[in-house]
Amino acid sequence: SAHQAWTNLINEFSRRLEISGDRSDWMQSLAHAKIRRAESAVHLGLADEAAHDYRNAISDLQRTWALADADEFFRVNLATAENNLGRLWSRGDSEQRQAAIELFKRSIATYQQLLSESATPDILRRLAQTHIAMSDTIGTSDADQDAGVQKRHHLDNANLAYEILADQDLLTGVDRLDWATVLVTINQMDPDADNHAAVAGLIGKIDVDKLTAAQKARFRQFQDSGAQ
């Protein structure tokens, strides 16, 4: 299985590092393998194991940063690990959700820095998805007076990122699904917003066959609500 394959790779890099000492390239590869194994663990329903791997990957990458300059691959891996761990913790208690918000802040800052250096569609997409995750987490945390303002701020930033991708004709089916979700949430928050036509247009252009089972379920929710 993929989970076992990543475990074998983790064991191999751990063995090499134990023998040869810290090498930034092997440490970064070890962290990447832990991130991928964590992703497999999430799919297998092993949330605690996934969180453990994400935490270790973040720790490995932070140690690596002290040994060598942080290139784009390194920083994307670090932001991804922080993002994915945040997504796991965003489903937990109030303390975990607050920790998730801090992870999302760090992830967003990293993606913004990467965009200032090289504005690639992949980084822009990751930034949009992190803004959405942050908005969702704020929406389920203990509300304060400006929670709604913060939530809308992240939705607007995600909306802007998707507008840029659309202008360059780079939207994927998942992008359209996520963007439609953003617009629906804005509609729910702002009585003056009218994104119904835009949502219907996005949903109508999605190739359902390319979606995962979970994404298809979200797509059907839009259909059932009359978005299409």
Side-chain angles (χ1 to χ4, degrees):
S1 68
H3 186 274
Q4 185 58 51
W6 289 115
T7 297
N8 293 341
L9 193 58
I10 288 167
N11 291 340
E12 175 59 21
F13 279 118
S14 297
R15 183 189 66 80
R16 292 184 189 182
L17 287 165
E18 189 174 332
I19 293 172
S20 304
D22 289 347
R23 274 186 46 172
S24 60
D25 54 344
W26 287 353
M27 289 172 67
Q28 190 168 170
S29 295
L30 174 63
H32 179 71
K34 288 178 180 177
I35 292 170
R36 297 304 302 272
R37 184 172 71 176
E39 292 169 354
S40 295
V42 169
H43 289 305
L44 294 172
L46 305 173
D48 288 344
E49 180 181 320
H52 178 76
D53 269 346
Y54 284 134
R55 285 196 300 270
N56 282 340
I58 291 169
S59 177
D60 290 343
L61 288 167
Q62 289 171 337
R63 284 171 54 215
T64 305
W65 202 330
L67 295 173
D69 292 334
D71 59 16
E72 180 175 330
F73 179 72
F74 166 88
R75 286 182 289 168
V76 168
N77 270 330
L78 178 57
T80 298
E82 291 172 340
N83 189 338
N84 291 349
L85 179 57
R87 288 172 186 272
L88 288 175
W89 281 351
S90 69
R91 307 167 193 164
D93 58 27
S94 60
E95 184 176 346
Q96 287 178 316
R97 290 198 301 272
Q98 188 56 49
I101 287 173
E102 295 306 313
L103 288 167
F104 290 143
K105 285 179 181 177
R106 283 157 45 182
S107 185
I108 287 170
T110 299
Y111 289 141
Q112 288 174 331
Q113 180 63 37
L114 287 167
L115 279 175
S116 71
E117 299 168 9
S118 178
T120 67
D122 177 63
I123 299 300
L124 190 58
R125 186 171 288 116
R126 289 172 185 267
L127 177 62
Q129 292 168 345
T130 310
H131 276 301
I132 294 171
M134 176 72 99
S135 173
D136 290 343
T137 306
I138 290 172
T140 58
S141 65
D142 294 332
D144 54 33
Q145 289 186 343
D146 65 349
V149 174
Q150 293 177 30
K151 183 179 179 73
R152 179 62 187 268
H153 168 76
H154 290 289
L155 290 170
D156 286 341
N157 276 291
N159 184 51
L160 177 60
Y162 288 124
E163 285 179 347
I164 295 170
L165 289 170
D167 286 343
Q168 299 178 28
D169 197 24
L170 293 170
L171 288 175
T172 65
V174 176
D175 290 337
R176 291 187 172 93
L177 189 61
D178 288 342
W179 192 6
T181 303
V182 168
L183 294 177
V184 166
T185 307
I186 291 174
N187 279 345
Q188 293 169 345
M189 295 182 67
D190 183 356
D192 295 327
D194 184 8
N195 297 310
H196 297 89
V199 171
L202 289 167
I203 296 301
K205 292 180 180 178
I206 294 176
D207 183 350
V208 184
D209 292 336
K210 294 183 179 180
L211 301 179
T212 66
Q215 291 160 357
K216 286 177 181 177
R218 288 172 57 201
F219 177 84
R220 285 194 293 271
Q221 289 179 343
F222 279 107
Q223 286 185 310
D224 293 343
S225 66
Q228 189 172 26

